[in-house]
């Protein structure tokens, strides 16, 4: 078995591991680094449950090889809260019950964070298009979209 | 399966030449990694081309845009001057998949995956884009329409890969557009795609045009008969009707769950009309 030596930064910490070519970034995060917040849904880039940020780009970790992430900077759901202080999106998802079973939630949160970092004042249409790659079979999406909009509104108030 | 990510084109070409063809070029991976997982592909070598600088940038040289084959859709969408000159090309690329897919998917991968329904390809064909292809024998130019030859098959040699797409110089009064039909608003595979690119004279008469159709034949089609209905004319209902008929005549589609032969054929004409109207409008504004 030929393995690739990979160095990357995950949530601000340097990590180093040996990676089989076929192992995806998702496999590495979950099985090698015990970061199981990113979920495996479809494994084909359709559901968004494994959404992470790689070098400032929102990606599906199932569609990136671990080896490709060598030298990269990865942000996962585990890095979203600041110790016990939840990220405003996490807080709002809880307050507004924007989740039911929870499998899609880490992906939605990471994707929504990536959106608000680019566009702090998105329209509902922009939120829905941005999150079109994240599937949820419980909520019907309305509560998720509302929670993202309300977070944007709240964060705007804070930064004033 | 080995993984290599060379930093120079020479290294990449040498690795390809040594591989006996048991290799897949990895660009964005949004198709390839799915095929790998499904067991449809099992190469001995994954050759990642994303660390080759020539494939990773968008440049303007001698008034022509060069788009690296491994630039992402998101990067194309964020490139204001590319979008200004070639809105159809950029919109076609941006239609592919979700935000997550846009962060990875590349025009080179979309072309070399050789799906007849690839969204960026009809727009590139209509634009008249030329690929720089490198291999053991050196570098050569290849028109985008000559790359995909049938579903999953390209005309590239076993030791060749695409470096970049070169778009022609943009004269005044030129515009392009790409439209695809899908049964929902986002995230689906084209039932039909149509790309139209025109150059108009000062009087609004079309002096040059290219028309391309996707998902209506085993490969993306350049349709010169359709372009010839536009050239020498101003856009009106009669011209649009002839464009529509020429597109329908060029279709050789399949029946599948996304559309029947009759349906795809009819939609090709409708989409080409609509894309032509947008392309002419854009050309008129410049």
């Amino acid at each position: 078995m030929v393995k690739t030596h990979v160095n990357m930064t995950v949530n601000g910490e340097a990590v180093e591991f040996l990676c089989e070519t076929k192992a995806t970034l998702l496999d590495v995060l979950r099985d090698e680094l015990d970061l199981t917040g990113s979920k495996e849904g479809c494994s084909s880039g359709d559901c968004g449950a494994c959404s992470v940020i790689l070098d400032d780009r929102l990606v599906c970790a199932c569609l990136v090889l671990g080896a490709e992430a060598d030298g990269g900077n990865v942000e996962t759901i585990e890095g979203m809260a600041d110790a016990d202080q939840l990220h405003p999106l996490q807080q709002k998802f809880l307050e507004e019950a924007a989740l039911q079973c929870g499998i899609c939630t880490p992906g939605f949160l990471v994707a929504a964070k990536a959106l608000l970092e680019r566009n702090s004042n998105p329209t509902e249409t922009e939120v829905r298009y941005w999150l079109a790659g994240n599937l949820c079979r419980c909520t019907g999406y309305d509560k998720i979209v509302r929670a993202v909009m309300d977070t944007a509104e709240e964060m705007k108030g804070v930064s004033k | 399966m080995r993984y290599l990510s060379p930093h120079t084109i020479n290294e990449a070409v040498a690795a390809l030449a040594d591989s006996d063809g048991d290799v897949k070029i990895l660009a964005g991976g949004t198709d390839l990694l799915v095929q790998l997982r499904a067991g449809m592909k099992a190469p001995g070598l994954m050759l990642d081309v994303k660390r080759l600088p020539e494939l990773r940038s968008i440049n303007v040289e001698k008034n022509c845009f060069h788009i690296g084959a491994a630039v992402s859709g998101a990067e194309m969408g964020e490139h204001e001057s590319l979008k200004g000159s070639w809105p159809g090309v950029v919109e076609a690329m941006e239609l592919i998949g979700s935000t997550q897919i846009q962060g990875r998917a590349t025009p080179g991968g979309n072309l070399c995956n050789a799906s007849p329904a690839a969204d960026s390809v009809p727009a590139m064909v209509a634009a008249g884009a030329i690929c720089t292809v490198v291999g053991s024998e050196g570098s050569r130019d290849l028109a985008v329409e000559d790359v995909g030859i049938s579903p999953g098959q390209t005309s590239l040699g076993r030791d060749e890969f695409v470096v970049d797409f070169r778009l022609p110089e943009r004269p005044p009064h030129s515009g392009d557009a790409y439209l695809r039909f899908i049964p929902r608003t986002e995230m689906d595979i084209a039932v039909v795609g149509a790309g139209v690119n025109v150059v108009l004279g000062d009087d609004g008469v079309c002096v040059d045009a290219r028309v391309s159709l996707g998902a209506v034949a085993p490969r993306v089609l350049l349709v010169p008969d359709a372009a010839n209905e536009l050239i020498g004319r101003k856009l009106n209902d009669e011209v649009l009707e002839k464009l529509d008929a020429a597109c329908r005549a060029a279709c050789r589609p399949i029946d599948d769950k996304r559309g029947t032969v009759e349906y795809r054929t009819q939609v090709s004409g409708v989409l080409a009309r609509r894309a032509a109207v947008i392309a002419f409008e854009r050309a008129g504004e410049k």
Side-chain angles (χ1 to χ4, degrees):
Chain A
M1 189 82 64
V2 191
K3 293 194 174 185
T4 305
H5 183 223
V6 177
N7 283 292
M8 62 187 191
T9 306
V10 180
N11 300 326
E13 277 184 43
V15 296
E16 189 178 359
F17 53 89
L18 289 173
C19 185
E20 281 182 35
T21 302
K22 67 172 189 199
T24 63
L25 176 59
L26 180 62
D27 296 333
V28 167
L29 290 172
R30 291 181 57 86
D31 302 339
E32 195 77 36
L33 306 175
D34 282 334
L35 295 171
T36 55
S38 306
K39 303 304 180 198
E40 180 169 39
C42 65
S43 299
S44 55
D46 293 304
C47 79
C50 65
S51 296
V52 300
I53 296 170
L54 170 62
D55 295 331
D56 294 321
R57 288 277 174 211
L58 181 68
V59 301
C60 289
C62 75
L63 289 187
V64 179
L65 294 177
E68 286 180 87
D70 185 31
N73 182 29
V74 180
E75 298 164 64
T76 72
I77 184 67
E78 285 86 352
M80 199 157 161
D82 184 5
D84 290 341
Q85 186 68 41
L86 293 180
H87 186 279
L89 277 163
Q90 292 173 307
Q91 188 62 42
K92 199 57 79 185
F93 268 53
L94 282 176
E95 286 169 11
E96 302 193 1
L99 68 153
Q100 288 178 35
C101 88
I103 285 282
C104 71
T105 310
F108 267 104
L109 286 168
V110 171
K113 177 169 172 263
L115 168 64
L116 295 186
E117 282 169 0
R118 276 179 173 67
N119 179 356
S120 59
N121 192 23
T123 64
E124 180 177 338
T125 302
E126 286 169 337
V127 172
R128 287 185 183 270
Y129 269 89
W130 183 273
L131 297 177
N134 291 80
L135 302 186
C136 171
R137 300 290 84 150
C138 300
T139 63
Y141 300 102
D142 275 350
K143 287 186 171 183
I144 294 173
V145 172
R146 219 171 300 145
V148 175
M149 302 283 296
D150 289 348
T151 308
E153 193 61 34
E154 189 178 283
M155 288 173 81
K156 222 170 19 184
V158 169
S159 63
K160 259 179 203 162
Chain B
M1 185 167 64
R2 290 182 305 132
Y3 169 86
L4 269 183
S5 61
H7 288 79
T8 69
I9 285 187
N10 284 345
E11 277 176 74
V13 169
L16 271 180
D18 287 345
S19 68
D20 294 329
D22 185 22
V23 57
K24 288 305 294 179
I25 305 282
L26 173 61
T30 54
D31 286 307
L32 182 55
L33 295 197
V34 177
Q35 293 160 3
L36 204 67
R37 179 142 189 131
M40 292 159 64
K41 304 255 165 78
L45 172 65
M46 288 287 261
L47 188 67
D48 184 353
V49 291
K50 285 189 297 299
R51 292 182 204 266
L52 300 174
E54 295 88 343
L55 276 75
R56 287 287 303 129
S57 62
I58 300 172
N59 297 313
V60 180
E61 281 174 40
K62 295 179 186 160
N63 298 321
C64 297
F65 278 99
H66 292 221
I67 304 170
V71 163
S72 70
E75 287 164 339
M76 285 173 66
E78 289 162 10
H79 201 288
E80 290 302 327
S81 64
L82 176 65
K83 210 169 178 168
S85 293
W86 295 99
V89 168
V90 173
E91 285 164 0
M93 190 66 208
E94 287 190 299
L95 279 174
I96 300 168
S98 60
T99 314
Q100 286 87 336
I101 299 299
Q102 281 292 310
R104 300 295 286 175
T106 68
N110 200 221
L111 177 62
C112 295
N113 186 54
S115 162
D119 282 309
S120 70
V121 180
M124 287 282 195
V125 169
I130 305 288
C131 292
T132 312
V133 173
V134 293
S136 316
E137 304 290 311
S139 160
R140 67 185 175 113
D141 287 349
L142 190 58
V144 170
E145 59 268 29
D146 294 330
V147 175
I149 50 176
S150 63
Q153 295 294 319
T154 72
S155 63
L156 300 184
R158 291 199 323 195
D159 65 341
E160 289 186 317
F161 65 92
V162 175
V163 173
D164 65 12
F165 296 82
R166 298 187 333 260
L167 298 173
E169 192 169 347
R170 216 62 178 129
H173 311 307
S174 43
D176 71 330
Y178 172 79
L179 294 174
R180 76 165 174 198
F181 178 76
I182 55 174
R184 54 206 294 260
T185 55
E186 259 286 76
M187 309 241 304
D188 205 345
I189 298 168
V191 177
V192 178
V196 175
N197 175 34
V198 296
V199 181
L200 309 183
D202 289 335
D203 52 3
V205 172
C206 177
V207 295
D208 198 6
R210 286 169 69 93
V211 176
S212 176
L213 295 173
V216 294
R219 61 199 283 181
V220 170
L221 300 177
L222 175 66
V223 191
D225 288 349
N228 289 337
E229 298 296 351
L230 300 176
I231 296 169
R233 304 204 169 94
K234 287 189 178 181
L235 206 60
N236 58 42
D237 287 347
E238 190 192 340
V239 169
L240 283 172
E241 183 48 49
K242 287 182 171 166
L243 170 74
D244 186 324
C247 287
R248 281 183 278 127
C251 290
R252 295 176 273 125
I254 54 168
D255 274 319
D256 72 4
K257 63 185 175 187
R258 294 197 305 279
T260 60
V261 168
E262 294 76 12
Y263 188 71
R264 285 192 151 104
T265 303
Q266 185 175 344
V267 170
S268 75
V270 174
L271 281 192
R273 281 171 179 252
R274 293 180 186 172
V277 169
I278 298 169
F280 271 74
E281 273 173 14
R282 286 174 172 168
E285 287 162 5
K286 283 184 189 163

